[in-house]
Amino acid sequence: MPVYTVHAPTPGGADLRATDKFVFVRDGFHFWAMIFGPLWLLWNRLWLALIGWIVFLAAFDAGLSSLGLGRRSIFLANIIVALLMGFEASSLRRWTLSRGKWRQLDIVVADNRDTAERRFFERWSDKQGGIAGDQWAVDRGGPPPTRGVPGQPFSNPPPIPAGGIIGLFPEPGGSR
């Protein structure tokens, strides 16, 4: 089942008036990014990634041809680079959003984008009753419990079983 990350622009904050600006990015393989890499980058307005793609591909092809590889080998290498583009397209989109002062609000698991939006907004409105100001849409809770901190569930060491040692050796230093 696909996983979507939800992003909101920082200047507008995460309030109900800016929900039309929220962006849902599907994690996973993007077929059209593999087939039409530069056009996909243009369509999604990933300008810096597009420049990096063009520079990298030109340098990569020039390096392979200077090594004396044939056209077929360079073509196969370009197919591998295109596969990598398909796998990392969503990461490039999230990276571009984070550079543009967007923040990730939540992660939603859903079959499609419409279902992801519905699940996110239901959880968002139920949990917060609407967000005002500079708060996160979903309360991520406190830090996980740790050992050695009084009052935490894991503050005491685990109890040793009554029989001593559990495992293959019934007593410390015993024969094998």
Side-chain angles (χ1 to χ4, degrees):
M1 189 173 284
V3 176
Y4 292 83
T5 55
V6 184
H7 303 268
T10 301
D15 64 21
L16 287 172
R17 294 179 305 270
T19 57
D20 60 333
K21 296 180 183 172
F22 287 5
V23 175
F24 288 76
V25 179
R26 180 181 59 87
D27 195 24
F29 185 77
H30 291 267
F31 177 76
W32 296 114
M34 179 191 79
I35 299 297
F36 302 113
L39 294 176
W40 187 88
L41 292 170
L42 278 172
W43 179 261
N44 288 290
R45 296 187 298 189
L46 305 175
W47 312 121
L48 194 56
L50 175 65
I51 292 169
W53 171 264
I54 292 170
V55 168
F56 171 75
L57 207 56
F60 186 68
D61 287 349
L64 290 179
S65 63
S66 70
L67 290 174
L69 295 177
R71 290 183 198 165
R72 181 175 288 168
S73 299
I74 293 173
F75 178 73
L76 291 174
N78 284 335
I79 289 176
I80 292 172
V81 171
L83 275 170
L84 290 174
M85 177 63 176
F87 282 116
E88 295 300 324
S90 55
S91 297
L92 287 172
R93 192 156 181 222
R94 280 191 295 273
W95 175 74
T96 301
L97 288 171
S98 70
R99 286 190 74 251
K101 305 291 190 245
W102 289 64
R103 73 172 134 190
Q104 181 177 332
L105 297 178
D106 197 10
I107 298 172
V108 181
V109 178
D111 289 326
N112 55 34
R113 184 176 173 196
D114 292 336
T115 308
E117 286 180 7
R118 184 178 46 82
R119 284 184 182 174
F120 169 73
F121 286 116
E122 282 175 358
R123 187 167 54 195
W124 190 51
S125 63
D126 289 346
K127 192 157 191 149
Q128 297 295 328
I131 300 295
D134 197 42
Q135 297 177 344
W136 291 90
V138 176
D139 181 19
R140 299 191 186 277
T146 56
R147 294 191 187 274
V149 177
Q152 294 283 338
F154 296 120
S155 61
N156 299 327
I160 297 177
I165 296 177
I166 296 177
L168 297 175
F169 309 107
E171 56 190 48
S175 64
R176 297 179 186 195

